[in-house]
């Protein structure tokens, strides 16, 4: 059965080969990706350190894909607008890291990007109640943030459904992005449960994979119920 909604694949460069990042970005674009997921980690909010503003500026020059910055950092309000200025089209901040979410989301929008709220697996959706109307999207983590290649947490499906229901009941337009452990085997299930933007890192960039073909395969698998 075909799914009648807009599904976008967002390859996460966290699992890419950084010595040939430009080529790998071109490959996923050829494969049909529309968004590039850019994971920013500070070694404090999560136990890993990745890339930041200088890398984003270089990537921005290289691609026309939308760039989606997932800020896994403490005090994201200090940097969110800098990421927009450096070329991000979408920026998400973790609800667990920001006591002034309204202000940060507004600042991201005012700077010209879409503003998202990221939510860890053990964080209740009830905390989104008041903030949801101000978000363009919600990034639901289906693994604990910090590393690529982890296993999808099965209860995320049910959480996705509840989030979708909250959004619909409130008459809002926020889109749902799912991040972590997505494979050809489970992508149709997350789409069916309400996800519209699907992040995939290791399923696209692992060593034995052709990123362009892997992107195409995920897009195809997303359109089929399993
Ligand atoms: C994890 C990152 C993810 C990660 C996903 O903390 O936020 O975006 O790159 O990688 P996979 O698809 O391998 O789980
Ligand atoms: Zn991410």
């Amino acid at each position: 059965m075909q799914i009648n909604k807009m599904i976008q694949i967002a390859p996460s460069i966290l699992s890419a080969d950084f010595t040939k990042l430009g080529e790998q970005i071109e490959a996923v674009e050829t494969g049909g990706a529309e968004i590039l997921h850019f994971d920013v980690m500070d070694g404090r909010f999560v136990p890993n350190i990745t890339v930041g503003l200088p890398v984003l500026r270089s990537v921005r020059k290289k691609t026309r894909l939308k760039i989606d910055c997932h800020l896994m950092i403490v005090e994201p309000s200090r940097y969110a607008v800098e990421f927009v200025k450096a070329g991000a089209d979408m920026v998400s901040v973790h609800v667990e890291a920001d006591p002034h979410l309204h202000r940060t989301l507004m600042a991201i929008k005012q700077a010209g990007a879409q503003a998202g709220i990221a939510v860890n697996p053990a964080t209740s959706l009830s905390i989104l109640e008041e903030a949801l109307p101000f978000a363009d999207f919600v990034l639901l983590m289906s693994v604990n943030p910090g590393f690529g290649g982890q296993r999808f947490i099965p209860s995320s499906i049910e959480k996705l459904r509840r989030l979708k229901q909250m959004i619909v009941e409130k008459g809002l337009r926020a889109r749902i992005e799912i991040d972590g452990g997505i494979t050809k085997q489970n992508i149709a299930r997350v789409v069916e449960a309400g996800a519209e933007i699907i992040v995939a890192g290791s399923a696209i960039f692992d060593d034995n994979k052709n990123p362009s073909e892997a992107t195409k395969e995920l897009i195809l698998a997303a359109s089929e119920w399993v």
Side-chain angles (χ1 to χ4, degrees):
M1 189 202 274
Q2 287 293 315
I3 295 160
N4 191 18
K5 57 183 167 186
M6 192 170 71
I7 304 304
Q8 292 177 302
I9 301 290
S12 163
I13 60 166
L14 183 61
S15 296
D17 178 344
F18 282 87
T19 64
K20 41 182 178 182
L21 189 53
E23 283 168 41
Q24 298 218 315
I25 292 171
E26 276 174 27
V28 296
E29 190 168 1
T30 307
E34 294 175 54
I35 298 175
L36 204 61
H37 188 76
F38 191 96
D39 285 308
V40 181
M41 304 187 189
D42 65 352
R44 293 189 63 210
F45 182 69
V46 289
N48 194 7
I49 299 177
T50 56
V51 288
L53 293 164
V55 177
L56 176 58
R57 288 187 196 104
S58 301
V59 170
R60 178 70 290 166
K61 284 185 211 148
K62 181 77 192 172
T63 184
R64 285 185 317 214
L65 292 176
K66 283 196 171 159
I67 303 179
D68 167 34
C69 285
H70 176 193
L71 302 186
M72 287 162 277
I73 62 177
V74 296
E75 298 184 63
S77 58
R78 290 178 59 192
Y79 296 99
V81 168
E82 292 306 308
F83 280 88
V84 181
K85 287 183 188 159
D89 301 283
M90 301 165 65
V91 175
S92 62
V93 296
H94 270 266
V95 61
E96 303 85 0
D98 192 348
H100 304 292
L101 211 46
H102 175 269
R103 182 158 58 204
T104 312
L105 295 173
M106 290 301 146
I108 293 168
K109 289 189 199 197
Q110 206 157 23
Q114 290 183 29
I117 308 173
V119 185
N120 279 338
T123 300
S124 168
L125 291 179
S126 58
I127 202 169
L128 298 181
E129 190 83 27
E130 301 298 328
L132 211 46
F134 310 115
D136 294 305
F137 66 102
V138 177
L139 189 168
L140 207 62
M141 288 304 306
S142 41
V143 299
N144 288 295
F147 302 95
Q150 302 181 78
R151 210 179 257 265
F152 183 84
I153 298 173
S155 57
S156 310
I157 295 285
E158 209 265 313
K159 196 174 180 185
L160 264 172
R161 283 193 215 289
R162 277 187 289 125
L163 175 58
K164 182 70 190 175
Q165 196 181 347
M166 263 174 94
I167 292 170
V168 170
E169 276 172 7
K170 287 175 179 289
L172 300 171
R173 287 174 174 209
R175 299 179 75 205
I176 304 178
E177 177 172 21
I178 186 90
D179 185 6
I182 299 299
T183 62
K184 271 192 292 187
Q185 284 69 37
N186 63 19
I187 191 167
R189 281 198 302 142
V190 298
V191 169
E192 186 266 335
E196 291 174 75
I197 303 168
I198 322 288
V199 177
S202 49
I204 288 179
F205 292 113
D206 261 5
D207 282 352
N208 57 347
K209 299 217 154 76
N210 171 326
S212 176
E213 288 305 315
T215 304
K216 280 186 203 157
E217 286 175 18
L218 278 177
I219 292 171
L220 188 66
S223 67
E224 292 162 358
W225 304 101
V226 286

